[in-house]
Amino acid sequence: MSTLLIDTDPGVDDALAILMAHAHARIAGLCIAAGNVGLAHTARNALKLVETLGVDIPVFAGCPSPLVVPAPGAGFVHGEDGFGDTAYLPATRRAADEHAAAAIVRLARERPGELTLVALAPLTNLALALRLDPDLPSRFARLVVMGGAVTGRGNIHLAPVEFNIGFDPEAAHVVFSEWPQLDLVDWEACLRHAMTFDAFERMLDAGAERARFYAAISRKARAFNRSRGRGMIAADALAMAVALDPSIVVQSERHHVAIELASGLGRGATVVDWHDRLGGRPNANIVLEVDQGRFEALVAAALGAEGQG
């Protein structure tokens, strides 16, 4: 069973990914950034999720804003509190005193080669950790990133840009420039692997108590998905599936990926050298297709609805 360190900004899609990690792996910690909503909410949501699962997983609050330029969140999708504005009772536990970036560095040094780092949030915490320890990539077994739009079909107001990368392009630039090899699960792969609404609702109906909790916090996000008519898009869950089981990937390509930092419509775009003409090292294994049945089975098991995937 693999051991994961998860950098996240919960967000209901992050919550589903964390439920999957809990069901299928060990979790060394949750490192929290601002993104989907502000840090006060993302840290609070992580603590509530850990308490709901009844597990003792440390939560490390990290960066409250991007490195350079402020950016809007996605409360219109996730709810202003990130968990569907359900007004849940706050968790009784508290976040650790250690900053998330420092925790990433410390845990990697304590457990060299053991941990898979799963980055589901804007990459602010990870960029700071890299500045603290430039040898960080050598200390992790893998890095899996949910982010980017590799052919320019993004999901924020800047058409070619995906939210996680667009929220903090400078941080993404640091990570993509300095991490020798990462697995990239981009927004377009998530669109291709959306679940049908009926299949996902069956999982929620057949699931355990954690499925009822997830149904409550995701109601607003599910309604948003329905309004767009694209199926149930579970972006962070797809990245988590790749982290949990690399063999689920049935098609991928290795290429150089860079981050556009200039102001304008392309700021935050993930620029892929698809034809390997520019001489950059192939720093990203871009996931193009996964086994959909196995992906949905991992989600169903995380919700306690085995057999529904």
Side-chain angles (χ1 to χ4, degrees), residues 40-127:
H41 285 306
T42 56
R44 181 174 179 255
N45 293 344
L47 291 165
K48 183 63 178 180
L49 187 58
V50 167
E51 184 174 87
T52 299
L53 290 172
V55 292
D56 187 19
I57 297 171
V59 173
F60 305 97
C63 296
S65 64
L67 292 179
V68 179
V69 180
F76 64 96
V77 178
H78 298 266
E80 292 305 312
D81 70 351
F83 268 10
D85 300 320
T86 51
Y88 62 77
L89 291 174
T92 58
R93 64 182 67 198
R94 298 178 60 186
D97 291 335
E98 189 175 18
H99 190 282
I104 291 170
V105 171
R106 176 181 59 81
L107 289 166
R109 288 177 173 178
E110 290 176 353
R111 307 175 69 170
E114 293 182 24
L115 302 176
T116 292
L117 179 57
V118 188
L120 306 177
L123 293 168
T124 319
N125 288 335
L126 185 50

Side-chain angles (χ1 to χ4, degrees), residues 28-304:
L30 300 179
C31 299
I32 312 302
N36 287 319
V37 289
L39 183 66
H41 285 306
T42 56
R44 181 174 179 255
N45 293 344
L47 291 165
K48 183 63 178 180
L49 187 58
V50 167
E51 184 174 87
T52 299
L53 290 172
V55 292
D56 187 19
I57 297 171
V59 173
F60 305 97
C63 296
S65 64
L67 292 179
V68 179
V69 180
F76 64 96
V77 178
H78 298 266
E80 292 305 312
D81 70 351
F83 268 10
D85 300 320
T86 51
Y88 62 77
L89 291 174
T92 58
R93 64 182 67 198
R94 298 178 60 186
D97 291 335
E98 189 175 18
H99 190 282
I104 291 170
V105 171
R106 176 181 59 81
L107 289 166
R109 288 177 173 178
E110 290 176 353
R111 307 175 69 170
E114 293 182 24
L115 302 176
T116 292
L117 179 57
V118 188
L120 306 177
L123 293 168
T124 319
N125 288 335
L126 185 50
L128 284 183
L130 271 166
R131 289 293 185 249
L132 292 170
D133 182 1
D135 292 329
L136 196 65
S138 68
R139 306 186 198 280
F140 281 99
R142 295 172 65 205
L143 169 61
V144 180
V145 172
M146 190 280 125
V150 297
T151 66
R153 187 180 179 185
N155 66 340
I156 60 175
H157 63 286
L158 298 177
V161 182
E162 177 273 333
F163 177 83
N164 279 349
I165 305 299
F167 187 87
D168 195 345
E170 282 76 17
H173 169 73
V174 170
V175 174
F176 278 73
S177 297
E178 299 184 18
W179 210 280
Q181 183 64 53
L182 57 88
D183 291 324
L184 182 63
V185 180
D186 86 311
W187 174 249
E188 296 167 60
C190 300
L191 289 175
R192 290 192 296 274
H193 291 283
M195 294 175 276
T196 68
F197 293 118
D198 287 346
F200 193 69
E201 295 296 332
R202 284 196 301 271
M203 292 181 199
L204 293 178
D205 290 343
E209 178 61 31
R210 58 189 180 274
R212 289 185 283 277
F213 174 78
Y214 189 76
I217 66 172
S218 67
R219 190 168 291 115
K220 181 171 286 191
R222 289 175 8 245
F224 180 84
N225 271 261
R226 282 188 179 276
S227 74
R228 299 300 178 94
R230 297 180 298 198
M232 184 61 196
I233 302 166
D236 291 337
L238 186 66
M240 183 58 70
V242 171
L244 291 167
D245 183 4
S247 72
I248 201 172
V249 178
V250 297
Q251 185 181 0
S252 65
E253 293 188 24
R254 294 183 185 274
H255 297 289
H256 181 74
V257 179
I259 310 300
E260 178 59 61
L261 297 180
S263 61
L265 293 177
R267 174 174 162 78
T270 39
V271 182
V272 182
D273 183 7
W274 288 106
H275 300 291
D276 302 323
R277 293 172 176 166
L278 301 180
R281 60 177 171 78
N283 58 345
N285 182 43
I286 302 168
V287 173
L288 299 174
E289 184 180 352
V290 306
D291 185 313
Q292 184 72 17
R294 289 170 63 189
F295 166 47
E296 294 189 16
L298 287 170
V299 173
L303 295 168

